[in-house]
Amino acid sequence: MMPGDISYGLIADGALAIEDGVIVFCGPEAELPAIHADWPQKDLNGSLVTPALIDCHTHVVFGGNRAREFEMRLEGASYEEIARAGGGIVSTVTATRAASEDELLATALKRVDTLIAEGVTTLEIKSGYGLDIESELRMLRVARKIGELRDITVSTTYLAAHATPAEYKGNQQGYLDEVVLPGLELAHAEGLVDVVDGFCEGIAFSTSEIAQVFDKAKALGLPVKLHAEQLSNLGGAALAASYGALSADHLEYLDEAGVMAMAASDTVAVLLPGAFYTLRETQYPPVDLIRKHDVSLAIATDCNPGTSPLTSLLLTLNMACTLFRLTPEEALAGVTRNAAKALGLDDRGMLKQGLRADLNIWDASHPAELCYRIGFNPLAKRYFGGTPCVQ
């Protein structure tokens, strides 16, 4: 750590005390209470210690890939053109429906292990590529299984309102009535849902349709979040805010009214530079307006097969700074405390007394190094609930 640097909340010559997986002291070593003096100690030799990383928006469970669509975009096709031609989200549905639970788990674990290797200890995983009740439930069961098999907390998100499957083409209300809403009830009854999400866009669902999903979530006592204002401004973020949403995500076309609605509801703005980069977008999210109205900013990989095949949260940090002009301090807050807030988790995301001891030790001297490097992983050790994990 750099002595005299007061940004980032850095503490030179700091100390942490951990008991039963919880931080019981964090501060200057000189102020370490005497009660901890005879505890087992580990000298980190001046290494940088930060909260562990949180990826608060992913779609890591899916079948197949969409490399051909990557080629199509390079040939000039737009995201909307690909989707309307039967590609996009719906093209992943066929592969996901055909995959067994074991197959989905095996492929997802490869992506999750890559994130874990960079210091991620909390991961949001969405459904949304099944688009029938059993396939959506299967995706959520796989997400829960990942949390059992790895030293990572998994937050599961029900996203059946992601796209309309081919069998319901031209009948979105029928899809909502027969799949999305009853599927949510079943997933909730099985204990598979932490949060409910939707995709509010011209190629997906309108605000009135999303409101039906959110009404059901509210009746079940589940928090909500929303993919909003990615390709156009339909007022999705303001709708989400009216339901007290945890977050609204993407937000390239968000206007000031939407930002103000989010500020009033304390809804987190989750920016997804991987999708912006992959789609070669030119409409930037309104970062200055988000700052102006003191809306919390988070960032995430948006790991998915079509528009953000990204499994590096460290690269996401660099992208957020380079593409969206976030400061490194904003970006790091966006994958720690604000990412925790976007998931409704108030027990992590900071090195603070009383919070979970999820933390990373880095071969670095300053936090900005985590945003500065490209394709380099300086993680030395990851702690999950106070326990060091095997790298």
Side-chain angles (χ1 to χ4, degrees), residues 97-152:
R97 287 179 175 179
S100 68
E101 193 167 313
D102 287 343
E103 289 169 337
L104 289 174
L105 178 62
T107 56
L109 282 173
K110 294 177 182 179
R111 293 182 276 271
V112 171
D113 286 343
T114 302
L115 291 165
I116 287 173
E118 290 190 345
V120 173
T121 60
T122 301
L123 181 67
E124 188 253 17
I125 301 177
K126 304 178 190 293
S127 68
Y129 292 126
L131 307 189
D132 62 44
I133 291 175
E134 183 48 45
S135 299
E136 289 290 300
L137 294 178
R138 185 164 69 251
M139 291 183 70
L140 292 169
R141 292 185 194 114
V142 169
R144 285 282 193 240
K145 190 68 174 179
I146 289 169
E148 297 169 6
L149 294 176
R150 295 293 188 268
D151 290 327
I152 193 166

Side-chain angles (χ1 to χ4, degrees), residues 314-338:
L314 291 176
L315 179 55
T316 304
L317 286 169
N318 180 274
M319 285 180 166
C321 295
T322 303
L323 298 175
F324 295 161
R325 302 295 191 266
L326 267 63
T327 68
E329 188 169 10
E330 287 174 324
L332 287 165
V335 295
T336 52
R337 67 174 183 268
N338 289 340

Side-chain angles (χ1 to χ4, degrees), residues 66 69 72 77-91 199 203 231:
R66 278 150 57 188
E69 289 181 23
M72 290 172 66
S78 72
Y79 179 45
E80 292 192 56
E81 288 169 342
I82 291 170
R84 295 191 187 282
I89 293 167
V90 175
S91 72
F199 186 18
I203 59 172
L231 306 173

Side-chain angles (χ1 to χ4, degrees), residues 176-263:
L176 290 169
D177 291 339
E178 297 170 19
V179 177
V180 177
L181 301 180
L184 176 53
E185 290 184 345
L186 290 171
H188 177 254
E190 197 174 322
L192 296 175
V193 186
D194 296 317
V195 184
V196 176
D197 197 353
F199 186 18
C200 185
E201 192 54 71
I203 59 172
F205 296 90
S206 68
T207 52
S208 62
E209 290 164 339
I210 291 296
Q212 296 176 53
V213 181
F214 284 3
D215 286 341
K216 174 65 72 173
K218 184 177 180 180
L220 295 172
L222 293 168
V224 300
K225 58 175 54 193
L226 188 64
H227 291 60
E229 273 72 88
Q230 180 185 9
L231 306 173
S232 61
N233 185 359
L234 298 186
L239 172 74
S242 73
Y243 282 85
L246 293 173
S247 72
D249 304 29
H250 284 293
L251 304 177
E252 281 86 340
Y253 286 83
L254 180 66
D255 59 17
E256 188 162 16
V259 176
M260 292 174 68
M262 292 175 65

Side-chain angles (χ1 to χ4, degrees), residues 267-291:
T267 296
V268 178
V270 179
L271 306 185
L272 304 170
F276 180 92
Y277 169 86
T278 301
L279 294 174
R280 295 189 293 176
E281 294 288 354
T282 57
Q283 176 77 25
Y284 290 88
V287 172
D288 286 341
L289 285 176
I290 291 168
R291 289 171 176 147

